[in-house]
Amino acid sequence: MFPYSRRFLSSCLNARSTRSIRELLQIKEVPVSPIEVKGWIKSFRALKKVSFIDLYDGTTNETLKVVIPITACPEVQGKPSLKTGQSVVIKNAHWKWTPNREQSFELSCSRDDVEILGEVGGDFPLQKKYVSLKQLRKWPLWKHRTTYLASLLRFRSYIETELTKILSNESFFKVQPPILTGSDCEGGGELFYVESNDSRITPGASKMKYFGQDTYLTVSTQLHLEVLALAMRNVWTLSPCFRAEKSDTNRHLSEFWMLEAEMCFVDDVRVLTQFVEDIIKNLVRSLLLQQNQLLPQLVPEEGADATEEVIKQWNSLINDKWTTITYTEAIELLVQRHSGEPFNHIPRWGNALQAEHEKWLSGTKFGGPVFVIDYPKDCKAFYMKVNSDNKTVACFDLLVPDMGEVVGGSVREDDYRRLIAEMEARKMNIQELYWYTELRKHGSVPHSGFGLGMERLVSWLYGNHNIRDAVPFHRAARSTIHL
Amino acid sequence: MFPYSRRFLSSCLNARSTRSIRELLQIKEVPVSPIEVKGWIKSFRALKKVSFIDLYDGTTNETLKVVIPITACPEVQGKPSLKTGQSVVIKNAHWKWTPNREQSFELSCSRDDVEILGEVGGDFPLQKKYVSLKQLRKWPLWKHRTTYLASLLRFRSYIETELTKILSNESFFKVQPPILTGSDCEGGGELFYVESNDSRITPGASKMKYFGQDTYLTVSTQLHLEVLALAMRNVWTLSPCFRAEKSDTNRHLSEFWMLEAEMCFVDDVRVLTQFVEDIIKNLVRSLLLQQNQLLPQLVPEEGADATEEVIKQWNSLINDKWTTITYTEAIELLVQRHSGEPFNHIPRWGNALQAEHEKWLSGTKFGGPVFVIDYPKDCKAFYMKVNSDNKTVACFDLLVPDMGEVVGGSVREDDYRRLIAEMEARKMNIQELYWYTELRKHGSVPHSGFGLGMERLVSWLYGNHNIRDAVPFHRAARSTIHL
């Protein structure tokens, strides 16, 4: 049951702010009154007898074409000229069906009906000519006024909204584990330290820690999620995570969003991978239904997959059963290929898979997503459940073409003694994670979980090759925070 | 269109993890096979001829009653005893309709069918006796295993999911402004400073800032949201925000979540307040439809409103038109009341409203939510649009009983020169917000936005009096981060 009165809400905003271009382009019946529309000029062309405005307002990939017949605007003299980047309101536009044209109706108005809301300076960087993604990244204030990058953000919005619905439907509760934490979940050590600015700049105050102890930004919310799963069965979160990465690549961010989920009574990594596959396939089914709204017709010349390629990939994602191989099988395949065509890093059982290995597996070898399961325990974090071979852990990485690992997860060790023994073997500071081990003392249950990198998922599915474009204002090593 | 195959997804998890108690309690037809159920023992009572298990699994407020007739379990001898806090799996339970009882079916099994998954130590703090919220806050690992606090988190999950649907339906795009930022949006100065831990602890490295400049945790994402609104018309976010507050009250957190929205072409504060009212009313309509699932039957003796009170309040929220008064009118009312029954702080035009003033307005005076609009400009932030009286700004605070301000918003100054003039008058560092002012130079449009404190909204609607309970692991001044 969906209790919201759509009309009631929309009418409130629209009463003052007018219909969006997305709504206008979907109109099925001739509107009874003259049209008012607001937006930004994408391009303006003045011919001898007629002028054309291409208008966008960020609600859709498409522009609205508005015609100004010259005969209708003798008063154009003395008016400021229309140009790319201006924001305008067009009042009293007239509507005419044009069923044989690309835009199924014609909107026309006089120049007098076009009021400039915001002027544009001569230094406005977005003009009609083509600009590369690399160049756009230098213009964070303006880059989202391009079709491709605005469309990418709308795509991400759609994905987050759909995943919210899917997980809610699966009886997962959305929870809010803390960002500020005292522990390093993964043990990777690439932490950001946090202190109140007052304590930092006030002389003598620096010994008074705001929280009374060293505090960091979370690298993963998993450990706290486990506490909540053991109270609510199935939980998930969509949360920023932070890693002071030294890697400066198109697949790394210092600040990124992770969708993490934790579920009780799941003790088999193949149930976990099946669940992840189901969720993503359901998401992609929904994307396919909306593909015309979601994908732009034109993509940049570099660093972006063509739209028809993207749709082809979506179709193959939902139609094929995804590959699952063990780490041991993966190493065998890699060694075989290495003997013919060497990698830079020698594949060897016991070592982590390198980016080139991951790309070959999901690219050349299988040409699609691959679950690699049962990694050697020394390659992975302390909290993963050890398999009966006592050498590998019940975990998975989901590798996808180009992007590498998009999801990682595992069955968690739920036995207090085995967990402590593993931490001791790794010479970890047990006291620091006292609370985490304590959770195994009262009513512990088998449980599993995973973390999905949102920027990587979005980029993989949208077909953009640099995850820095999948977040509005990226934060990465050595990149100054311009804004 | 909702393309997900619910059965497909659920069956995957359920195949291994069994049906949740929530699902069991909703079963309408006699199951064909014996029931398996997993969860934690809330209480266990052994009578002469029969024993009872009250089982919960965190998916609903209700417990599942399971009966063990003594005749069915002579093998009880030698088995570990059942007790509160243990996790168990019950296999082969038998189902019988009991339409006249509170639970419409009876589940029975033998003691042999109950397997203990996780034992409970003698020091497990949650026993059958009543524990106050104040005490529970000291047990962050276990407190969500109580009905009231688990229910509160499920309530929050429901609210976040519903708001996602509502805003998506209103054509708002969900975006992800950065948490790490170089500027102090509100100018309040209560910032957290962030640096990579390596730079902090490595000798000599401290001058090498990770981002090449001072970096803070965001106090509000508004300024970045404005950039995105001017590219996508209507945007929203649900994001953690951070304030190194000195206030240590039941209404303040150092880490809290804000729902912020920003919309173009809205230049009237009354359109903005109407929109906020509509959104919250639609949310409450949805809560009313789900009230039995969302609210627990019993609430703590202190610090919580009774369930019938909560429902009464929801009904009055959707039935009444909410009050809107200007700040100037609010001061007049406060002065009037002060002359008879003095406040601690004298109400005076030009001063901020104090908590006691806000509580009186939304409590004794109007007994419900009150929009206070048009505050003096010196009480508010630099970015708000100045009204034609040149003394007040086009802004609002939504005050609600007990909780005070839950939402705050304003029309934003969209004119470059007026914005710069205001910043100069306030002696602000204009260079630091160069990018924000620059936004007004190219295609600026009238726009407005608001920020809604999620923990305050949740607490207000759920009827718990301390927002620290509306977030799983609260972070506040001088409170050590236990976990």
Side-chain angles (χ1 to χ4, degrees):
Chain A
M1 185 149 16
F2 196 69
Y4 318 119
S5 147
R6 170 154 175 71
R7 187 172 253 171
F8 182 56
L9 269 172
S10 293
S11 64
C12 151
L13 264 192
N14 281 338
R16 295 295 182 118
S17 69
T18 74
R19 273 183 290 209
S20 71
I21 291 178
R22 183 185 202 128
E23 286 172 303
L24 275 179
L25 291 173
Q26 288 169 349
I27 280 182
K28 297 276 176 273
E29 285 173 36
V30 183
V32 286
S33 50
I35 303 283
E36 177 173 302
V37 59
K38 292 172 179 168
W40 290 265
I41 296 179
K42 178 134 269 174
S43 73
F44 177 73
R45 282 171 300 150
L47 305 182
K48 272 185 193 158
K49 293 187 178 167
V50 66
S51 298
F52 297 97
I53 299 175
D54 260 14
L55 201 70
Y56 76 96
D57 70 355
T59 60
T60 165
N61 298 324
E62 293 169 84
T63 54
L64 181 75
K65 281 132 198 92
V66 182
V67 180
I68 310 180
I70 291 296
T71 51
C73 49
E75 59 286 84
V76 70
Q77 307 292 342
K79 288 242 171 207
S81 59
L82 297 177
K83 49 194 173 199
T84 299
Q86 285 167 334
S87 50
V88 296
V89 50
I90 297 173
K91 288 170 179 164
N92 300 312
H94 295 284
W95 176 286
K96 195 174 81 185
W97 286 112
T98 53
N100 298 327
R101 304 248 184 96
E102 203 190 333
Q103 180 171 307
S104 63
F105 58 87
E106 183 185 282
L107 269 193
S108 63
C109 67
S110 79
R111 173 63 186 83
D112 250 6
D113 294 325
V114 184
E115 184 195 329
I116 298 172
L117 290 171
E119 259 302 348
V120 67
D123 55 340
F124 184 58
L126 299 178
Q127 298 302 331
K128 265 189 276 186
K129 67 175 198 294
Y130 174 77
V131 184
S132 70
L133 285 173
K134 195 174 165 192
Q135 181 60 44
L136 285 174
R137 273 174 221 127
K138 295 178 184 161
W139 301 330
L141 272 185
W142 318 115
K143 67 179 183 178
H144 299 109
R145 297 191 191 180
T146 63
T147 307
Y148 188 74
L149 291 178
S151 171
L152 179 39
L153 289 194
R154 287 191 295 268
F155 184 76
R156 178 169 179 170
S157 170
Y158 187 80
I159 283 187
E160 291 191 7
T161 305
E162 291 303 290
L163 286 173
T164 302
K165 291 180 192 169
I166 292 172
L167 287 163
S168 157
N169 234 35
E170 285 302 302
S171 300
F172 276 69
F173 297 105
K174 184 163 188 269
V175 292
Q176 306 73 29
I179 311 300
L180 299 172
T181 171
S183 50
D184 177 7
C185 165
E186 299 280 325
E190 292 176 325
L191 292 167
F192 285 106
Y193 184 83
V194 179
E195 185 48 272
S196 87
N197 202 38
D198 259 10
S199 296
R200 188 178 70 97
I201 60 181
T202 310
S206 66
K207 278 169 200 156
M208 294 268 287
K209 289 181 177 143
Y210 183 85
F211 290 110
Q213 66 168 87
D214 284 344
T215 305
Y216 309 98
L217 296 180
T218 190
V219 297
S220 156
T221 65
Q222 177 202 318
L223 306 192
H224 291 91
L225 272 189
E226 289 185 52
V227 175
L228 298 171
L230 264 70
M232 301 168 76
R233 186 163 165 147
N234 294 331
V235 294
W236 73 287
T237 192
L238 182 56
S239 173
C241 293
F242 302 84
R243 296 191 192 169
E245 300 262 13
K246 308 226 168 42
S247 318
D248 187 17
T249 80
N250 62 356
R251 301 187 302 126
H252 289 89
L253 292 167
S254 305
E255 172 182 330
F256 58 102
W257 286 75
M258 269 224 281
L259 187 157
E260 293 184 274
E262 204 69 28
M263 58 210 84
C264 286
F265 312 124
V266 171
D267 58 3
D268 181 340
V269 73
R270 285 175 190 266
V271 172
L272 202 55
T273 56
Q274 186 63 53
F275 185 62
V276 169
E277 182 174 334
D278 287 348
I279 283 178
I280 298 179
K281 280 183 167 174
N282 272 289
L283 173 64
V284 174
R285 272 184 208 107
S286 165
L287 297 179
L288 277 164
L289 289 174
Q290 299 290 327
Q291 61 187 59
N292 293 334
Q293 279 291 337
L294 292 172
L295 294 175
Q297 290 187 313
L298 292 174
V299 306
E301 290 161 13
E302 285 175 52
D305 296 340
T307 294
E308 55 270 35
E309 282 305 309
V310 171
I311 292 171
K312 211 172 109 187
Q313 192 210 4
W314 291 355
N315 276 302
S316 92
L317 278 179
I318 59 165
N319 291 327
D320 304 341
K321 166 80 188 151
W322 298 1
T323 307
T324 299
I325 55 172
T326 65
Y327 167 89
T328 302
E329 289 163 345
I331 290 292
E332 283 163 13
L333 292 169
L334 290 163
V335 165
Q336 209 168 9
R337 136 88 201 234
H338 183 72
S339 67
E341 203 179 333
F343 292 106
N344 292 323
H345 301 82
I346 304 172
R348 186 173 291 144
W349 203 98
N351 291 351
L353 299 185
Q354 299 296 316
E356 58 173 338
H357 304 151
E358 296 181 344
K359 282 185 183 177
W360 179 77
L361 285 169
S362 57
T364 317
K365 182 66 193 169
F366 293 109
V370 181
F371 288 107
V372 180
I373 62 172
D374 297 340
Y375 282 70
K377 69 177 179 177
D378 292 342
C379 293
K380 292 289 180 183
F382 72 97
Y383 47 70
M384 296 186 180
K385 189 143 191 137
V386 179
N387 287 322
S388 55
D389 62 13
N390 209 24
K391 292 188 298 191
T392 61
V393 282
C395 72
F396 77 90
D397 280 0
L398 174 61
L399 311 179
V400 306
D402 297 320
M403 211 44 75
E405 183 196 341
V406 166
V407 192
S410 79
V411 182
R412 320 304 190 186
E413 181 53 75
D414 58 285
D415 181 84
Y416 179 78
R417 285 199 189 81
R418 282 198 297 266
L419 183 65
I420 291 283
E422 186 61 37
M423 292 172 80
E424 281 172 349
R426 290 172 186 244
K427 300 191 170 52
M428 289 175 65
N429 180 346
I430 292 174
Q431 189 51 38
E432 199 175 75
L433 286 173
Y434 171 76
W435 61 272
Y436 181 71
T437 61
E438 200 71 4
L439 187 64
R440 275 72 184 161
K441 279 197 176 164
H442 304 301
S444 186
V445 300
H447 61 287
S448 302
F450 63 86
L452 177 159
M454 191 52 73
E455 287 81 10
R456 289 189 182 184
L457 178 81
V458 167
S459 294
W460 171 45
L461 294 176
Y462 190 72
N464 63 299
H465 301 173
N466 191 329
I467 65 169
R468 293 179 185 192
D469 297 328
V471 65
F473 306 95
H474 78 268
R475 304 300 190 225
R478 285 182 293 277
S479 72
T480 306
I481 295 180
H482 298 289
L483 60 156
Chain B
M1 182 150 19
F2 196 70
Y4 318 120
S5 145
R6 169 151 175 73
R7 186 172 253 169
F8 183 57
L9 270 171
S10 293
S11 63
C12 150
L13 265 191
N14 281 337
R16 294 295 181 117
S17 69
T18 75
R19 272 182 290 211
S20 70
I21 291 178
R22 182 186 202 129
E23 286 173 302
L24 275 178
L25 291 174
Q26 288 168 348
I27 280 182
K28 297 276 176 273
E29 286 174 34
V30 183
V32 288
S33 51
I35 303 283
E36 176 173 302
V37 59
K38 292 172 180 168
W40 290 265
I41 296 180
K42 177 133 269 173
S43 72
F44 177 73
R45 280 171 302 150
L47 305 182
K48 272 184 191 158
K49 293 186 176 166
V50 66
S51 298
F52 297 97
I53 299 175
D54 261 13
L55 201 69
Y56 75 96
D57 70 355
T59 60
T60 164
N61 298 324
E62 292 168 84
T63 54
L64 181 76
K65 281 130 198 95
V66 182
V67 180
I68 310 180
I70 292 297
T71 51
C73 48
E75 60 285 87
V76 72
Q77 307 291 344
K79 288 245 171 205
S81 60
L82 297 177
K83 48 194 174 201
T84 298
Q86 284 168 335
S87 50
V88 297
V89 51
I90 298 173
K91 290 171 179 163
N92 300 312
H94 295 283
W95 176 284
K96 195 174 81 183
W97 287 111
T98 53
N100 299 325
R101 303 246 186 98
E102 202 189 332
Q103 179 171 308
S104 62
F105 57 88
E106 183 185 281
L107 270 192
S108 63
C109 67
S110 78
R111 173 64 186 85
D112 250 5
D113 294 325
V114 183
E115 183 195 329
I116 297 173
L117 291 172
E119 261 300 350
V120 69
D123 55 342
F124 183 59
L126 299 178
Q127 300 301 331
K128 264 189 277 187
K129 68 174 196 295
Y130 173 76
V131 184
S132 70
L133 286 174
K134 196 176 163 190
Q135 181 59 48
L136 285 173
R137 275 175 220 127
K138 295 178 185 163
W139 300 330
L141 272 186
W142 318 114
K143 68 179 182 177
H144 299 109
R145 298 191 191 179
T146 63
T147 308
Y148 187 75
L149 291 179
S151 172
L152 179 38
L153 289 193
R154 288 191 295 268
F155 184 75
R156 179 169 178 167
S157 170
Y158 187 80
I159 283 188
E160 291 192 6
T161 304
E162 291 303 289
L163 287 173
T164 301
K165 291 180 193 167
I166 292 173
L167 287 163
S168 157
N169 234 34
E170 286 301 302
S171 300
F172 276 69
F173 297 106
K174 185 163 187 270
V175 293
Q176 307 73 28
I179 311 299
L180 299 173
T181 171
S183 50
D184 177 6
C185 165
E186 299 281 324
E190 292 176 326
L191 292 168
F192 285 106
Y193 184 84
V194 179
E195 186 48 272
S196 87
N197 202 38
D198 259 10
S199 296
R200 188 180 69 97
I201 60 180
T202 311
S206 65
K207 280 170 201 155
M208 295 268 289
K209 289 181 177 143
Y210 183 85
F211 290 110
Q213 65 168 90
D214 285 345
T215 305
Y216 310 97
L217 296 179
T218 190
V219 297
S220 157
T221 65
Q222 177 201 317
L223 307 192
H224 291 91
L225 272 190
E226 288 185 53
V227 175
L228 298 171
L230 265 69
M232 302 168 75
R233 186 163 165 146
N234 295 330
V235 294
W236 73 287
T237 192
L238 182 56
S239 173
C241 294
F242 302 85
R243 296 190 192 170
E245 300 261 12
K246 310 229 164 42
S247 319
D248 187 18
T249 80
N250 62 357
R251 300 187 301 126
H252 289 90
L253 292 166
S254 305
E255 173 183 329
F256 59 100
W257 287 74
M258 270 224 280
L259 187 158
E260 293 183 272
E262 203 70 28
M263 58 209 85
C264 286
F265 312 124
V266 172
D267 58 3
D268 180 341
V269 73
R270 284 175 190 266
V271 172
L272 200 55
T273 55
Q274 185 63 51
F275 185 63
V276 169
E277 181 174 334
D278 287 347
I279 284 177
I280 298 178
K281 280 182 167 173
N282 272 291
L283 172 65
V284 174
R285 271 184 209 108
S286 164
L287 296 178
L288 277 164
L289 289 174
Q290 299 290 327
Q291 62 187 60
N292 293 333
Q293 279 291 337
L294 292 171
L295 293 175
Q297 289 186 313
L298 292 175
V299 306
E301 290 162 13
E302 284 176 51
D305 296 340
T307 294
E308 55 270 34
E309 283 304 310
V310 171
I311 293 171
K312 213 172 108 189
Q313 193 210 2
W314 291 355
N315 277 301
S316 92
L317 278 179
I318 59 164
N319 292 326
D320 303 341
K321 165 81 188 150
W322 298 1
T323 307
T324 299
I325 55 172
T326 64
Y327 167 89
T328 303
E329 288 163 346
I331 290 292
E332 282 165 13
L333 292 168
L334 290 163
V335 165
Q336 209 168 8
R337 137 87 200 235
H338 183 73
S339 66
E341 203 177 332
F343 291 107
N344 291 323
H345 301 81
I346 304 172
R348 186 174 289 144
W349 202 98
N351 292 351
L353 298 186
Q354 299 295 316
E356 57 173 338
H357 303 151
E358 296 181 343
K359 284 185 182 177
W360 179 77
L361 285 168
S362 57
T364 316
K365 181 63 194 170
F366 293 109
V370 181
F371 288 107
V372 180
I373 63 172
D374 298 338
Y375 282 69
K377 69 176 180 177
D378 292 342
C379 292
K380 292 290 180 181
F382 71 98
Y383 47 69
M384 296 187 181
K385 189 142 191 139
V386 179
N387 287 321
S388 55
D389 62 12
N390 209 23
K391 293 187 297 190
T392 62
V393 281
C395 72
F396 77 90
D397 281 2
L398 174 62
L399 311 178
V400 307
D402 296 321
M403 211 45 76
E405 182 195 341
V406 166
V407 192
S410 78
V411 182
R412 319 304 188 186
E413 181 53 74
D414 58 284
D415 181 83
Y416 179 76
R417 286 199 187 82
R418 281 197 297 267
L419 183 64
I420 291 283
E422 186 61 36
M423 292 173 79
E424 281 172 348
R426 289 172 186 243
K427 301 191 169 54
M428 289 174 65
N429 181 345
I430 292 174
Q431 190 51 40
E432 200 176 75
L433 285 173
Y434 171 77
W435 60 272
Y436 181 70
T437 61
E438 201 71 3
L439 187 63
R440 274 73 182 159
K441 279 198 177 163
H442 303 300
S444 186
V445 298
H447 61 287
S448 301
F450 63 86
L452 177 158
M454 191 52 74
E455 288 80 11
R456 289 188 182 184
L457 178 81
V458 167
S459 293
W460 170 45
L461 294 176
Y462 190 72
N464 63 299
H465 300 174
N466 191 330
I467 65 169
R468 293 180 184 190
D469 298 328
V471 65
F473 307 95
H474 78 268
R475 304 300 189 223
R478 285 182 293 275
S479 72
T480 305
I481 295 181
H482 299 288
L483 63 154

